[in-house]
Each structure stands twice: as structure tokens, then as C-alpha cells.
Amino acid sequence: MRESKAKPSGSATLTYDNKKYEFPVFSGTEGPNVVDIRKLYGDADIFTYDPGFTSTASCESDITFIDGDKGILLYRGYSIDQLAAHSNFLEVCYLLLHGELPNKKEAAAFDHSITMHTMVHDQMSTFYRGFRRDAHPMAIMCGVVGALSAFYHDSTDINDPRQREVASHRLIAKMPTIAAMAYKYAVGQPFVYPLNNLGYTENFMRMTFSVPAEEYKVNPVLAKALDTIFILHADHEQNASTSTVRLAGSSGANPFACIAAGIACLWGPAHGGANEAALKMLEEIGTVDRIPEYIKKAKDKNDNFRLSGFGHRVYKNYDPRAKAMQAQTHAVLNEVGHGDDPILKVAMELERIALSDEYFIEKKLYPNIDFYSGITLKALGFPTSMFTALFALARTVGWIAQWKEMIEDPHQKIGRPRQLYTGAAQRDYVPLTKR
Ligand code: CMC
């Protein structure tokens, strides 16, 4: 069980209806203090109102920290820049799940367990055939990941720590297989089984891009870039999809169902769907001379258009993931010979113009990770429709680490927000004949 590590650091007073109410204030390791208002409704008979949770801490967590003003992202205290430069995705998975970097023995045991869970139940291949060939990979991922609970009953008891661990390993291990199968199904090629002597990311590339008719060699530069992309997407504090996973899990739902809920939330264009939207936007702009037209649209209050890949709820500075991503974008484009890709030129110029435009400066709208990830994934050979599926693959470890932390928190309660009701007051039913 997880013990609370929050430290009392004073109190806050609320005056309401001529009465004073005291609430404890707590400090964490970093970030703003929180006012503990759990007794507010019971004591003062009012709710707080915070649509979109812009000022609400929904939980206590030890996993990920973001300082949006300084552009800092830490996984278990380690900066994303250091992890992207020196670690690998599976080590980051271990770190997120267990809180510490593994020693050699722990790393070997973890890698072995993940490798041994990469295959999916053979009957799952028939499950795919129920989808139309043109189904979006995220639609397939939602369905197939949710269906894992029907295939792996022996790891759905959330009260058993061993079953929680097996479910976690299964999800991390099977996600690449499930995503690669979604791709293969869409392009009409045979599914490729995982190969245990390959690393996590190499295996995923082989399952995605190889065909039985030809030998496939993994390009180490591209594999390193994709592995870094996975590290950059692994967790991001209490974002919309993670909060969805926690909320779904708070009712006691099984882990596979919770992760399917996270995938559904991630799909939206304001969240994980932005990488797909950003690349489509860059392709639509097409040439550098058309950028001013799109900047104008983005600034127009009467136009719904937004620059995809710009802005973030938390980062009011350069997204630190975007910086690490930019380096990988160049590495990949140089390797595959697309260094002078016109889309990259549009991206660089759009970034330059937006960063010097008063509207974007004033609103602190910087490029986020999705601005660069789309270009990189395209150069790696992935179709646009797979971009968000890759995000889901990488974020699964974050979701599962947060889900596990919630289950192990003795203060955990079912998530149940309240509301400011503005509908009709109580009234009497009028029979149809009298309406
Ligand atoms: N282009 C133009 N204007 C923008 C943009 C944009 N991309 N983003 C925000 N604004 C404006 C917005 O119109 C608003 O202006 P005003 O104050 O005059 O009404 C102001 O900036 C604040 O925007 P907001 O919508 O209140 O901010 P938010 O924190 O609710 O939204 C966001 C954050 C990421 C949803 C938003 O910036 C956005 O829609 N960006 C484009 C989509 C995108 O790139 N999403 C990926 C996020 S990073 C990956 C992830 O974590 O999933």
C-alpha cells in the first residue's frame, strides 16, 4: 500500500456566508501547494467549480512532475532530456512502474517477462477480421485492448498484486503486437509474429514493416529514434487520458478495460490525435508562402481553426519533449534522405513565424511534441492513421503505472465529481394529451 508523502504546510481560510472555514494546505516535493477541500461540502454545503480541472489536483502521485513555466518534465525525478539521451524505453517502463532504475538483474528479469508476453492469443487474429479494412487503427485498438479482459481472465483481479503485475506486463508487451496487427490488417498483409531475440522497439518495427517474402533488417538509427519517441510519450502526469484511466479504474474495472478507456480519450484531436492533425495541417499548408494565411486563420476569433501542435494546457514554455523530438526528426530525415522534405521546411518556417508573432507570444503558445512527432513518424514509414496508435502504445506504461498507484492508494475512492445544476427546477409531469 502507498503511504501519503504530502507534508502539512499551513492552512487556508474561506469566508462564505459570514462564516470562516479552515482547510489544511499540503506540500509535495515540487510544484504548487494544495488546499485540501475534502471537507468543504460537508462543512459549508458548497462545491468548488472547476470545469476542465485547471486548478484541481485529483490525486497524490509519485510518478511524473511537470513544471509548465520552466518547461521541465521529470519521470520519477529524472529529466526527460537525460532519459531520452541515455536510457531506453523498457528501462523507462521499469522506472515508471517501480519508481527506481533497475539494476542489471532487475532489468534482465523485466526484459525477459515483457518478451515472454509479446504474443497475443491466437483467436485474437480472428477478432480483427470483424473490422472493416478501412477501420481507423485507434478504433481497432479500443476494441482489441478492451477485449484482452475476455482473453486473459487470470489477470483481472485488481486486488491481487501478482495479477496486477501480470496484467501490466501483458499490456506493455502486447501493445506493439496489437498495434502492428492493426496496421497489417489495414494494408492487407499477413500478421507477423514477434521474434524474441529482438528488442522491444526493433520487434515492433519488424512486426509492422516486414513481409514474409523478404528478409527485414532493422535500421539502428531509426530504431533508436522510435525508441526515443516512445520514451518521450511514456507518461505525462494527470492528462485527459490518464485521468480517464484513473476514473475508469476507480470503480474497480479491470485494467484492460481501463486502458481501452484511455485509448478512447487519447484519440481526440486536442490530445493524442494532434500528431495526426499536425501532419495533415502541414501537408495542407504545403508551401512556405501559404503560412501567413494559416497564421491569420489561427488568430481569427470567428474561425475554429487552431495551429495543431501548438499550445499546451500545462506548458507555457517550450515543451521539453518537443526539443528532444526535434533532434530525432533531423536524425531520421538525414538517415532516410528526406533532409530537404518540403513538409519539414513548412514546419521550421511555421515554428519561426509563430514564435515571433505577438498573438502566440502573448498566449505562450509554443510547439508541443506533436508538432514534430508527425513528421518523424511519417519519415519512419508510418501512415498518418497510425500516429495516435503509436502514442497509445508508448503511453500504456504511464497509464498502467498511474492505475497501479491509484489501486495501491488507501485513500482511493470512486471518482464522482459534482456539478453546478442550471436545468429546470422540480416540476410536475404533464400528460401528452395536455401538451
Ligand atoms: N492555435 C491558435 N490559438 C490557440 C491554440 C492554437 N493551437 N491553442 C490555444 N489557442 C488560444 C485559444 O484560442 C485561447 O485564446 P483566447 O484566450 O483568446 O480565447 C488561448 O490560446 C488559450 O487556449 P485554451 O483553449 O483556453 O487553452 P487550453 O489549455 O484549454 O488548451 C490545447 C490546450 C492543447 C487543447 C490547445 O492549445 C490546442 O487546442 N492546441 C492544438 C491541439 C494540440 O496541439 N494538442 C496537443 C497537446 S500536446 C499532446 C498531448 O498532451 O496530448
Side-chain angles (χ1 to χ4, degrees):
M1 279 294 151
R2 183 185 179 283
E3 288 302 318
S4 170
K5 294 173 191 159
K7 293 196 175 65
S9 66
S11 66
T13 309
L14 171 79
T15 307
Y16 170 66
D17 226 4
N18 292 324
K19 282 193 201 131
K20 279 192 189 312
Y21 301 91
E22 285 273 303
F23 299 99
V25 173
F26 289 103
S27 304
T29 325
E30 309 247 21
N33 290 347
V34 301
V35 183
D36 178 355
I37 51 134
R38 278 176 288 185
K39 292 203 170 133
L40 175 67
Y41 174 52
D43 290 355
D45 200 27
I46 49 166
F47 297 141
T48 55
Y49 180 61
D50 186 17
F53 309 121
T54 52
S55 299
T56 297
S58 60
C59 60
E60 187 183 319
S61 181
D62 298 347
I63 303 175
T64 294
F65 173 71
I66 303 173
D67 184 326
D69 293 324
K70 294 192 186 134
I72 291 173
L73 168 61
L74 309 176
Y75 293 165
R76 301 283 191 183
Y78 296 101
S79 84
I80 194 68
D81 325 353
Q82 288 188 10
L83 291 170
H86 307 299
S87 188
N88 62 68
F89 181 64
L90 269 197
E91 185 176 72
V92 167
C93 288
Y94 185 97
L95 173 69
L96 288 168
L97 285 173
H98 296 278
E100 296 297 336
L101 288 166
N103 61 28
K104 276 191 185 154
K105 204 174 148 205
E106 289 162 339
F110 184 69
D111 288 9
H112 179 75
S113 176
I114 299 298
T115 308
M116 289 302 142
H117 281 109
T118 47
M119 279 190 358
V120 292
H121 192 293
D122 206 44
Q123 214 176 316
M124 290 205 97
S125 58
T126 54
F127 196 77
Y128 278 76
R129 300 206 166 89
F131 289 97
R132 283 170 52 133
R133 287 277 175 191
D134 60 356
H136 194 286
M138 284 298 275
I140 299 183
M141 301 277 285
C142 280
V144 173
V145 173
L148 286 174
S149 49
F151 285 90
Y152 300 101
H153 292 291
D154 59 339
S155 55
T156 53
D157 179 0
I158 61 161
N159 299 312
D160 176 351
R162 177 64 190 143
Q163 290 201 31
R164 292 202 294 269
E165 186 180 29
V166 174
S168 308
H169 290 196
R170 279 186 170 143
L171 276 157
I172 295 166
K174 293 184 199 310
M175 239 18 200
T177 316
I178 290 170
M181 286 171 81
Y183 172 73
K184 285 297 192 199
Y185 185 72
V187 292
Q189 291 176 1
F191 296 140
V192 177
Y193 287 122
L195 200 59
N196 281 0
N197 60 8
L198 288 179
Y200 187 87
T201 302
E202 289 82 357
N203 211 350
F204 172 62
M205 290 175 76
R206 184 180 160 276
M207 286 189 287
T208 307
F209 296 123
S210 75
V211 287
E214 276 176 26
E215 200 192 333
Y216 178 80
K217 276 215 169 93
V218 181
N219 177 322
V221 176
L222 304 188
K224 166 77 186 135
L226 188 56
D227 199 72
T228 308
I229 292 175
F230 289 164
I231 293 175
L232 299 176
H233 285 86
D235 195 43
H236 212 223
E237 206 224 60
Q238 308 309 320
N239 57 85
S241 58
T242 301
S243 297
T244 302
V245 169
R246 279 189 178 254
L247 198 56
S250 76
S251 72
N254 73 67
F256 304 109
C258 297
I259 300 304
I263 294 172
C265 177
L266 186 76
W267 194 0
H271 193 5
N275 52 16
E276 187 174 340
L279 188 74
K280 281 186 179 154
M281 178 192 75
L282 292 173
E283 285 174 342
E284 193 186 305
I285 297 175
T287 48
V288 168
D289 58 304
R290 296 190 62 205
I291 294 175
E293 183 192 325
Y294 282 81
I295 297 266
K296 201 172 155 208
K297 267 163 75 69
K299 288 158 50 171
D300 183 355
K301 280 264 150 275
N302 300 316
D303 193 326
N304 287 337
F305 175 77
R306 284 187 171 197
L307 282 188
S308 289
F310 275 80
H312 198 273
R313 169 61 63 81
V314 180
Y315 294 119
K316 300 303 168 196
N317 199 326
Y318 219 103
D319 178 343
R321 303 168 301 170
K323 276 191 200 155
M325 192 70 193
Q326 200 186 26
Q328 291 306 326
T329 306
H330 288 291
V332 169
L333 289 172
N334 285 336
E335 185 66 17
V336 299
H338 287 184
D340 54 356
D341 189 320
I343 296 299
L344 185 69
K345 280 197 185 128
V346 173
M348 303 298 275
E349 185 59 7
L350 184 63
E351 182 190 21
R352 192 191 65 74
I353 296 179
L355 288 177
S356 54
D357 188 292
E358 205 39 53
Y359 173 93
F360 291 87
I361 294 170
E362 192 221 314
K363 294 188 190 303
K364 299 187 176 166
L365 299 169
Y366 291 85
N368 58 50
I369 187 170
D370 293 323
F371 187 65
Y372 284 103
S373 64
I375 310 164
T376 321
L377 293 174
K378 181 181 176 239
L380 282 168
F382 292 101
T384 325
S385 61
M386 277 296 285
F387 291 1
T388 315
L390 293 171
F391 191 158
L393 185 169
R395 183 55 60 85
T396 294
V397 64
W399 288 331
I400 206 80
Q402 301 266 355
W403 169 83
K404 180 172 168 286
E405 183 178 69
M406 179 196 65
I407 301 289
E408 293 170 3
D409 183 347
H411 299 292
Q412 187 264 325
K413 280 176 184 277
I414 185 166
R416 178 50 172 101
R418 303 306 299 268
Q419 62 175 5
L420 172 62
Y421 177 69
T422 51
Q426 186 169 358
R427 48 187 169 161
D428 288 328
Y429 177 79
V430 181
L432 188 58
T433 49
K434 294 204 176 148
R435 274 180 254 156

